[in-house]
Amino acid sequence: MAATNDIQYKFPEGFWWGSAASATQTEGAADIDGKGQNIWDYWYEVEPNRFFNGVGPDKTSQFYYKYKEDIKLMKEIGHNSFRMSISWSRLIPNGNGEVNPKAVEFYNNVINELIDNGIEPFVGLFHFDMPMEMQKIGGWESREVVDAYEAYATTCFELFGDRVKKWFTHNEPIVPVEGGYLYDFHYPNVVDFGKAVQVAFNTILSSAKAIKAYRELNQDGKIGIVLNLTPSYPRSKNPADVKASIICDAFFNRSFLDPSVKGEFPEELVQILKAEGFMPQYEAEDLEVIKNNTIDLLGVNYYQPRRVKAKENLPNPEAPFMPERYFDYYVMAGRKMNPHRGWEIYEKGIYDILINLKENYGNIECYISENGMGVEGEEKFRDENGIIQDDYRIEFIEEHLKWVHRAIQEGSNVKGYHLWTFMDNWSWTNAYKNRYGFVSVNLDKDGERTIKKSGQWFKTVSANNGF
Ligand code: BG6
């Protein structure tokens, strides 16, 4: 362990060190103990070819069976907090109605085990996994599903809120909009901008309704949302490039950030939706609910930046409407890359997000809820002692943490850093392609866990509260 006087980047007392994961990506046990199907179980059943190497959500990392071992490892590598999610279709198999007692038992066990090990559970209510019965009646397109979600959220607060003091209504809610309704990487694979807008609006409404329900129960915790706030950097100062980046930011960041924090929608976006004829349907009182039920705490997910320029070509008028009618992406010469995932690495992005929150969003209490480096074929970095030598991940985390530290020096209200993710997990259509964990999961050996070099390093960082 580094001597305390060697610490260059010291973080504030009580900083949250940990990682994040989600139910469908880790639990497995997809069809036993009363769990209902969700859209991933169903989509895999009908189109297994859409998943990398044909690997589905049925088994994943078996957290359902191995949670005690996993939580022990979390403690061993210095976690004082961990974000998990509850599987809606495990807790309420039909999405609405009967609660599954086996699921209550499982989540009680996990929450208690975390607390007994000195790890604060942060709990998300929705991480991309719509119950199939709810999707059948329209998913987030449907008001009925918004009401069912509010009831599900209330059930969770009532069951677990005595011990869980940090709740998150949604994780990256723009992603099911993009994946399910624009770009064809989540079920229901619809390409329809009008539906995408309705889904986004209803998701925001569901978040506000869950927040309202939480506050009405008078529990003494905090409730928020986790957003992927990917900054949109313009190619140049040319006004056309700048305008393109502002519009891109309104579509993909401010669409959820503004209603969540300020209770209102960005004017740039509303103008475009009106001009293009894509305003969603809503009731007047919805806007009041959104306005009056903003978040306490914001989770920030950051992986890579967006680089944007003014559009080069006229769009095909026959093609489905896409946000990209208003901007193009471009590849910045000289960018730094994660060659194992094909994503740009731009560490300063994390600082830019935090400073934006400080300056334009009332310096809302926040934390880095996901950041991380995916590596395809990571087995090749395993040494003769069986340890994955992921120095690239250590460098990735360090370089991002330096910028988080700087933002704190400048007054940012950021309270913690969670890596995506604790152990390698199943990542939707990418299945087990890209590995992100502090802990490796060997699928050929019944999911055997091994702490990577980064996990050992993180333990020291957490113990020293810095590096
Ligand atoms: C994050 C999601 O945006 O990206 C996770 O919240 C996901 O659920 C992660 O697993 C990594 O994605 P990928 O496609 O690189 O495996």
Side-chain angles (χ1 to χ4, degrees), residues 22 25 83 127-128 171-172 175 228 301 303 341 343 370 374 420 425-428 430-431 434 436:
S22 88
Q25 295 183 263
R83 177 168 62 103
H127 197 126
F128 306 170
N171 174 80
E172 301 191 349
V175 171
N228 46 327
N301 291 0
Y303 290 88
R341 174 67 178 84
W343 279 356
E370 285 181 31
W420 183 266
N425 65 28
W426 182 84
S427 191
W428 321 111
N430 281 333
N434 308 308
Y436 283 85

Side-chain angles (χ1 to χ4, degrees), residues 208-387:
K209 285 191 164 198
I211 294 171
K212 184 164 182 281
Y214 184 68
R215 300 224 168 104
E216 280 168 4
L217 288 172
N218 275 320
Q219 296 186 343
D220 57 341
K222 292 186 176 174
I223 186 159
I225 195 166
V226 170
L227 300 177
N228 46 327
L229 296 179
T230 310
S232 307
Y233 295 106
R235 169 180 58 181
S236 73
K237 292 198 176 102
N238 184 297
D241 285 340
V242 172
K243 187 175 167 200
S245 81
I246 290 171
I247 293 177
C248 179
D249 190 50
F251 270 112
F252 293 112
N253 296 321
R254 294 183 59 207
S255 49
F256 282 87
L257 180 61
D258 287 23
S260 299
V261 180
K262 299 181 175 174
E264 63 194 31
F265 291 90
E267 200 43 43
E268 291 87 340
L269 183 60
V270 174
Q271 288 311 327
I272 290 175
L273 297 183
K274 280 190 177 153
E276 301 280 1
F278 287 117
M279 281 295 278
Q281 288 184 343
Y282 58 90
E283 292 160 15
E285 67 195 45
D286 295 347
L287 299 184
E288 284 301 301
V289 174
I290 292 169
K291 193 162 175 237
N292 295 328
N293 295 284
T294 56
I295 57 169
D296 304 316
L297 171 64
L298 179 69
V300 174
N301 291 0
Y302 173 67
Y303 290 88
Q304 57 167 343
R306 278 194 167 84
R307 304 229 176 247
V308 173
K309 65 180 181 183
K311 248 194 130 44
E312 300 279 352
N313 300 304
L314 283 175
N316 170 6
E318 309 266 307
F321 181 92
M322 290 286 171
E324 290 79 0
R325 288 251 168 138
Y326 285 87
F327 55 86
D328 279 343
Y329 292 115
Y330 87 105
V331 173
M332 185 183 76
R335 67 188 178 152
K336 178 172 166 184
M337 286 297 287
N338 164 10
H340 313 291
R341 174 67 178 84
W343 279 356
E344 182 180 345
I345 298 178
Y346 184 64
E347 299 92 345
K348 182 172 174 283
I350 210 163
Y351 164 88
D352 290 339
I353 295 171
L354 294 173
I355 296 304
N356 180 35
L357 294 176
K358 178 181 165 232
E359 289 176 355
N360 300 311
Y361 292 87
N363 207 11
I364 183 156
E365 183 175 34
C366 66
Y367 82 111
I368 304 302
S369 41
E370 285 181 31
N371 175 231
M373 184 175 176
V375 174
E376 187 175 351
E378 196 169 37
E379 275 303 313
K380 63 177 173 280
F381 296 105
R382 203 182 281 280
D383 70 7
E384 62 283 2
N385 300 316
I387 308 295

Side-chain angles (χ1 to χ4, degrees), residues 3 7 46 72 91 176 200 228 240 249 297 313 434 440 446 463 465 467:
I7 308 292
V46 295
K72 208 163 145 239
L91 192 70
N228 46 327
D249 190 50
L297 171 64
N313 300 304
N434 308 308
S440 79
D446 194 37
N465 209 25
F467 58 96

